[in-house]
Amino acid sequence: MEQRRYKRRNGAVCWTGCIVALLLCSVASAQLRYSISEGINEGTVVGNIAKDLGLDKSTLTVRKYRIVSSGADPLFHVNPNDGILYVSRMIDREEVCGQSSTCLINLKTVLETPLEVHYVGVEVLDVNDHSPSFPEREKKLEISESVLPGARFQLKPSRDRDSGHFSVQQYKLSHNDYFRLEVKDKGEDGKIPILVVQKLLDREAAGSHSLVLTALDGGKPPKSGDMNILINVLDINDNAPVFTKDVYSVMLDENAPVGTTVIQVNATDLDDGSNGEVVYSFSNSMNQKLLNIFDINTSTGEIIVKGIIDYEEKDKYEIEIEASDKGVAPLTTEKSVIIKIVDVNDNAPEIEVTSFSNYIPEDSRPGTTVALININDLDSGLNGKVICSIWEDVPFDLSPSLQDKMYSLITKSPLDREKQSHFELTIAAKDAGQPSLSSEKKISIVVSDVNDNSPEFSLSPYTFYVTEANEPGTSVFSVKALDRDEIDNAAISYHIFRDGSEENKLASFLNIHSENGDILALKSFDFETLKTFQFHVVATDSGTPSLSSNVTVHVFILDQNDNAPVILYPVSSNGSAEGVEEIPRNVNAGHLVTKVRAYDADIGYNGWLLFSLQEVTDHTLFGLDRYTGQIRTLRSFTETDEAEHKLVILVKDNGNVSLSATATVIVKVVEPKEAFAASDVKSAAKDEEGNDVTLYLMITLGSVSVLFIISIIVLIAMQCSKSTDFTSKYLQDTNYDGTLCHSIQYRSGDKRYMLVGPRMSIGSTIVPGSHANTLVLPDRRRTAEEVRQF
């Protein structure tokens, strides 16, 4: 604007000067022309106008010599004293004249009185003081990479405020392989630079080009100005995405949580913009099962766990990934991603029992196979290595098989069903993973029975006591045997061993129930004829082959009170129990009149006889010993006493229902002489009677002796068969005073026992459950007396 303003001002001055010159041409006119270089200092002398015009210097002041100018800031001034023209300030030609080829400044000087106008022209000469400059310091161009060589792009020219030769004379372009420069000369408009493509562009090879365009003027040395040209190559979708790796492979732990990033694939597209934006997806060939397990982030390429990862189901996945750009016609690249699943110890061993027999015979040999056990662990490596064992201390063991993870459950020691018939085994399987997992399985094994046990009687031998006069055909006792086997092997049948020997001849009078062991007597036993006997019972099981055992049964017949006392004396000639006794009248008190003798075939209490006076004429005269049957006088006879006395003696046993007999004794009191005569006759009668009594006593004592010997033999056999330490002692009462008796004494532990005949010892007590014929004697080992007789 400074240049246009000065130009208009100079033009106005010129036009004004021309008009004044035409109007005042008659006054005077002159024309001077000076030349100065631009940029000279203030106060520099341009020229001496007065001298050059021939003006009188002395009159310049009077005539007010001056430069007429409309500008507020004149470029020149004249000294009114000497007429010398000076530069008022530094002059910039480009500012005053712009791009004009000639810069002439016309000045109008005036003198008054008379008026004179003189025109002075000052030409400002150009100096190369400006460098070329471009409208923009940086120019950005966008050129598609699809343009062909020869494409032209016009650039804005550089401007130089200098003119003429000092203006822009040429352009230069920095070296490059893709562009060259052409310059078009448009005359006054200057030289126009044109950028020409000389080689196909490739945005992927060089996405931008930076060039420098230099403008040079004609100075020496020339001045220059630069403009940076930044060329952005516009993309076209000519490149498919490329994955950064040739192979994608990753290890993934099984049971990885949902949302776990498996791997991130990365693909790049050399294109730009949407052509270079890559999106990721699974290939269309992926099956639905994989799509349920994995997912992919379309923007980042992250493959994410979506479902359950199970190594045992599949240990390797191959996924096809597609990378596509967003071009109008998208380009796609495929890549395989291999995902290897790392096994985690997440499966406990599984125990499977095959070929299992719940029952095993107890006679199985060690090493017998009971079952085959298959251990399966779905894990691999150490996680799938399994150690198998049995927890309990049992006669079984696990033997590894030739096949992997197979075991045989075998017996390691003999079995005994009778000791233990059932086994509960806990088979434990533990893998070698960290941490290890284990499982267990319970197996129930039943030991089946083999007939390897004979029946066992509850007692051996058996001792039974049977009361005489039992009812034939009824059970008198029973035996019981147990077999430790079971079912048929334990089903026991009983029978009595009969071999026809003399020892077992009484077995024919017995019968046994084959199932329960009840023994029946086929006849009634009589204690007086049979005291004891023994036989054998055989128990046989139903096994194959059958086993049997036998036991000895000792039977003792217990006496019942089935025999009434028999009077042995007195006995009359007709067999009745009557007798006559004569005694002198002068006998003293305590005289033995007679002795009533009686016998009871029973023993024990049943044979224990007691005597009593049932009838007597004078109770004060006679007394009866209740145990011996002796009749004695209680006092001396008097004159008033009768000469004949009748005594009725009652003899009874001590059975529960006592039996009795009576004897009648007639006592005649005679004078002493008569008594002597009668005694001779009586002695003869007594001798005959005594002979009969002696015969009875010998028979009785012989029977008792035989029974005594049999009892000794039986008791010795019992002593040998029993573990109890006892001492048998047999005694026979020799003091027979009217009753026959015998006794058997034996000791077991701290107790002494006695089987007693008609006579008993004082102080004896009946043992409960002894059938009333076994007495317990108090321990009198420190005394010599074993039996007291009354």
Side-chain angles (χ1 to χ4, degrees):
M1 288 185 67
E2 287 288 331
Q3 293 175 355
R4 287 195 297 269
R5 186 171 62 248
Y6 283 107
K7 186 175 181 180
R8 287 194 299 268
R9 186 179 63 186
N10 292 335
V13 173
C14 293
W15 283 105
T16 304
C18 293
I19 295 171
V20 172
L22 293 172
L23 294 175
L24 299 175
C25 62
S26 57
V27 178
S29 63
Q31 186 64 44
L32 294 178
R33 186 169 182 162
Y34 299 103
S35 294
I36 62 172
S37 297
E38 64 174 333
I40 60 177
N41 294 328
E42 178 183 354
T44 301
V45 176
V46 177
N48 193 335
I49 298 175
K51 180 180 179 183
D52 292 335
L53 291 176
L55 298 178
D56 186 5
K57 296 181 181 180
S58 60
T59 62
L60 293 177
T61 304
V62 177
R63 296 181 66 183
K64 298 180 181 180
Y65 185 61
R66 64 186 185 277
I67 296 174
V68 178
S69 174
S70 59
D73 189 13
L75 298 175
F76 302 97
H77 68 276
V78 64
N79 190 342
N81 295 321
D82 53 12
I84 297 175
L85 182 63
Y86 295 94
V87 176
S88 296
R89 59 183 177 85
M90 183 178 292
I91 299 173
D92 185 355
R93 178 183 182 280
E94 289 73 27
E95 180 183 350
V96 176
C97 298
Q99 296 296 321
S100 299
S101 59
T102 301
C103 181
L104 180 63
I105 300 174
N106 293 311
L107 301 176
K108 182 174 70 173
T109 61
V110 177
L111 290 171
E112 294 182 359
T113 314
L115 179 62
E116 289 183 15
V117 177
H118 300 279
Y119 295 94
V120 177
V122 179
E123 181 182 5
V124 180
L125 300 176
D126 189 23
V127 175
N128 193 17
D129 58 350
H130 290 88
S131 297
S133 63
F134 289 92
E136 298 172 331
R137 294 190 61 83
E138 184 177 84
K139 176 65 176 178
K140 291 183 178 180
L141 295 177
E142 292 183 347
I143 304 174
S144 175
E145 64 176 330
S146 61
V147 297
L148 299 176
R152 303 164 62 86
F153 299 91
Q154 184 173 313
L155 304 176
K156 291 183 179 181
S158 175
R159 301 298 179 186
D160 193 329
R161 296 179 64 185
D162 295 327
S163 61
H165 182 68
F166 295 115
S167 63
V168 176
Q169 299 299 316
Q170 61 177 334
Y171 291 95
K172 289 183 178 181
L173 186 64
S174 60
H175 176 75
N176 68 95
D177 296 332
Y178 294 92
F179 299 94
R180 59 184 177 84
L181 185 65
E182 289 185 0
V183 179
K184 182 179 181 181
D185 192 352
K186 297 187 71 173
E188 293 184 358
D189 292 335
K191 294 178 174 59
I192 306 300
I194 298 174
L195 193 63
V196 180
V197 178
Q198 67 176 2
K199 183 179 179 181
L200 283 173
L201 299 178
D202 187 357
R203 194 203 67 81
E204 290 71 35
S208 63
H209 300 272
S210 181
L211 306 176
V212 177
L213 179 63
T214 303
L216 300 172
D217 61 17
K220 290 185 179 181
K223 292 183 178 291
S224 63
D226 296 334
M227 179 176 69
N228 294 324
I229 301 174
L230 180 61
I231 301 173
N232 292 323
V233 181
L234 299 180
D235 184 48
I236 61 172
N237 195 19
D238 58 345
N239 290 279
V242 177
F243 285 94
T244 56
K245 292 183 178 180
D246 293 335
V247 177
Y248 284 95
S249 180
V250 67
M251 309 290 284
L252 176 64
D253 290 341
E254 70 170 323
N255 299 329
V258 174
T260 300
T261 299
V262 180
I263 191 174
Q264 183 176 10
V265 297
N266 186 29
T268 57
D269 194 322
L270 297 177
D271 295 326
D272 195 15
S274 60
N275 297 328
E277 293 182 11
V278 179
V279 293
Y280 303 91
S281 63
F282 289 131
S283 173
N284 293 329
S285 62
M286 288 267 291
N287 59 44
Q288 187 61 38
K289 190 173 183 180
L290 283 177
L291 296 177
N292 294 333
I293 298 176
F294 298 101
D295 198 2
I296 188 168
N297 188 316
T298 59
S299 300
T300 63
E302 290 180 335
I303 299 176
I304 302 170
V305 175
K306 180 181 179 182
I308 297 176
I309 307 297
D310 190 355
Y311 173 87
E312 289 69 37
E313 182 177 345
K314 194 169 184 179
D315 61 353
K316 181 180 178 182
Y317 295 94
E318 186 171 352
I319 301 175
E320 294 293 332
I321 304 296
E322 290 184 351
S324 303
D325 57 31
K326 293 184 178 180
V328 176
L331 299 178
T332 302
T333 303
E334 292 185 352
K335 181 66 67 174
S336 294
V337 177
I338 297 175
I339 301 175
K340 297 179 180 179
I341 306 302
V342 178
D343 184 35
V344 175
N345 193 22
D346 60 340
N347 289 279
E350 296 178 357
I351 303 174
E352 181 183 1
V353 180
T354 60
S355 302
F356 174 59
S357 176
N358 288 326
Y359 294 90
I360 179 171
E362 62 177 323
D363 61 349
S364 299
R365 296 181 178 180
T368 301
T369 300
V370 180
L372 295 179
I373 298 174
N374 182 27
I375 308 298
N376 186 28
D377 194 320
L378 297 177
D379 296 321
S380 62
L382 289 177
N383 298 331
K385 286 288 185 181
V386 180
I387 300 173
C388 196
S389 61
I390 299 177
W391 283 4
E392 295 83 5
D393 183 14
V394 291
F396 297 94
D397 200 1
L398 288 174
S399 175
S401 176
L402 295 178
Q403 297 182 5
D404 189 24
K405 299 182 179 180
M406 286 289 294
Y407 293 87
S408 296
L409 179 63
I410 61 173
T411 58
K412 68 177 181 180
S413 60
L415 303 176
D416 189 351
R417 190 204 65 82
E418 287 69 39
K419 291 183 178 179
Q420 187 169 354
S421 62
H422 182 265
F423 293 93
E424 290 288 340
L425 277 64
T426 302
I427 297 176
K430 182 178 181 182
D431 61 30
Q434 292 294 332
S436 64
L437 298 178
S438 62
S439 61
E440 59 184 55
K441 189 176 186 66
K442 292 187 178 295
I443 294 179
S444 179
I445 299 177
V446 177
V447 180
S448 61
D449 186 43
V450 173
N451 193 23
D452 58 345
N453 289 278
S454 300
E456 296 179 1
F457 286 93
S458 57
L459 292 174
S460 181
Y462 278 96
T463 301
F464 294 107
Y465 299 92
V466 180
T467 305
E468 66 174 333
N470 58 292
E471 183 180 352
T474 60
S475 175
V476 289
F477 47 82
S478 66
V479 295
K480 184 69 175 178
L482 296 177
D483 195 317
R484 296 173 62 191
D485 297 322
E486 63 178 1
I487 313 177
D488 291 342
N489 297 330
I492 299 175
S493 62
Y494 303 89
H495 70 275
I496 296 175
F497 178 73
R498 295 181 175 92
D499 59 355
S501 64
E502 184 68 20
E503 183 181 356
N504 291 327
K505 66 179 180 179
L506 291 177
S508 60
F509 298 105
L510 300 174
N511 197 7
I512 188 169
H513 194 287
S514 62
E515 295 181 359
N516 56 28
D518 289 343
I519 298 176
L520 292 77
L522 302 179
K523 62 171 285 185
S524 179
F525 296 108
D526 184 9
F527 174 80
E528 286 71 33
T529 60
L530 180 64
K531 300 295 189 294
T532 181
F533 66 92
Q534 70 180 22
F535 62 96
H536 300 284
V537 175
V538 179
T540 305
D541 59 31
S542 300
T544 303
S546 62
L547 301 177
S548 63
S549 62
N550 61 80
V551 67
T552 301
V553 181
H554 297 282
V555 181
F556 292 92
I557 308 301
L558 300 179
D559 183 39
Q560 285 202 54
N561 194 20
D562 58 344
N563 292 281
V566 176
I567 303 299
L568 299 179
Y569 182 85
V571 178
S572 64
S573 59
N574 60 3
S576 62
E578 293 181 358
V580 178
E581 295 290 338
E582 293 182 353
I583 60 173
R585 181 181 292 277
N586 60 351
V587 297
N588 297 323
H591 175 73
L592 176 64
V593 178
T594 187
K595 183 176 181 179
V596 179
R597 294 179 175 86
Y599 166 74
D600 194 323
D602 297 322
I603 65 171
Y605 279 102
N606 297 326
W608 186 9
L609 302 180
L610 296 177
F611 302 85
S612 64
L613 286 172
Q614 187 178 18
E615 183 180 342
V616 64
T617 56
D618 189 352
H619 288 285
T620 64
L621 188 58
F622 297 99
L624 178 65
D625 189 313
R626 64 175 302 185
Y627 297 110
T628 63
Q630 293 179 349
I631 301 174
R632 293 181 182 274
T633 58
L634 297 178
R635 60 179 177 82
S636 300
F637 290 97
T638 63
E639 294 296 333
T640 59
D641 291 331
E642 295 181 359
E644 186 175 309
H645 298 274
K646 180 180 180 180
L647 302 177
V648 179
I649 293 91
L650 176 66
V651 182
K652 65 176 182 179
D653 57 29
N654 280 275
N656 291 331
V657 178
S658 64
L659 302 176
S660 62
T662 59
T664 303
V665 177
I666 304 298
V667 180
K668 293 181 178 181
V669 181
V670 297
E671 295 301 325
K673 292 182 178 180
E674 297 177 355
F676 291 143
S679 63
D680 293 335
V681 177
K682 190 173 181 181
S683 297
K686 285 187 177 180
D687 290 339
E688 183 179 356
E689 180 183 352
N691 291 332
D692 295 336
V693 172
T694 301
L695 178 61
Y696 291 146
L697 289 176
M698 291 177 64
I699 295 173
T700 302
L701 289 176
S703 300
V704 170
S705 298
V706 171
L707 293 175
F708 172 71
I709 294 174
I710 293 174
S711 300
I712 289 177
I713 295 173
V714 171
L715 291 176
I716 290 175
M718 292 174 61
Q719 176 70 18
C720 294
S721 62
K722 288 187 178 181
S723 61
T724 306
D725 181 21
F726 63 85
T727 302
S728 298
K729 187 174 183 182
Y730 305 92
L731 298 174
Q732 181 175 356
D733 190 0
T734 59
N735 186 15
Y736 179 74
D737 53 1
T739 61
L740 297 179
C741 68
H742 72 276
S743 63
I744 301 174
Q745 299 183 24
Y746 61 91
R747 178 177 298 145
S748 178
D750 294 335
K751 293 185 179 181
R752 294 197 308 158
Y753 299 87
M754 182 175 74
L755 298 176
V756 185
R759 295 299 302 260
M760 282 182 94
S761 297
I762 295 176
S764 301
T765 58
I766 297 177
V767 178
S770 65
H771 300 284
N773 72 327
T774 302
L775 304 180
V776 178
L777 296 179
D779 190 3
R780 297 173 181 173
R781 285 174 288 183
R782 288 176 294 182
T783 64
E785 185 178 14
E786 294 288 343
V787 180
R788 289 187 60 194
Q789 299 180 355
F790 295 86

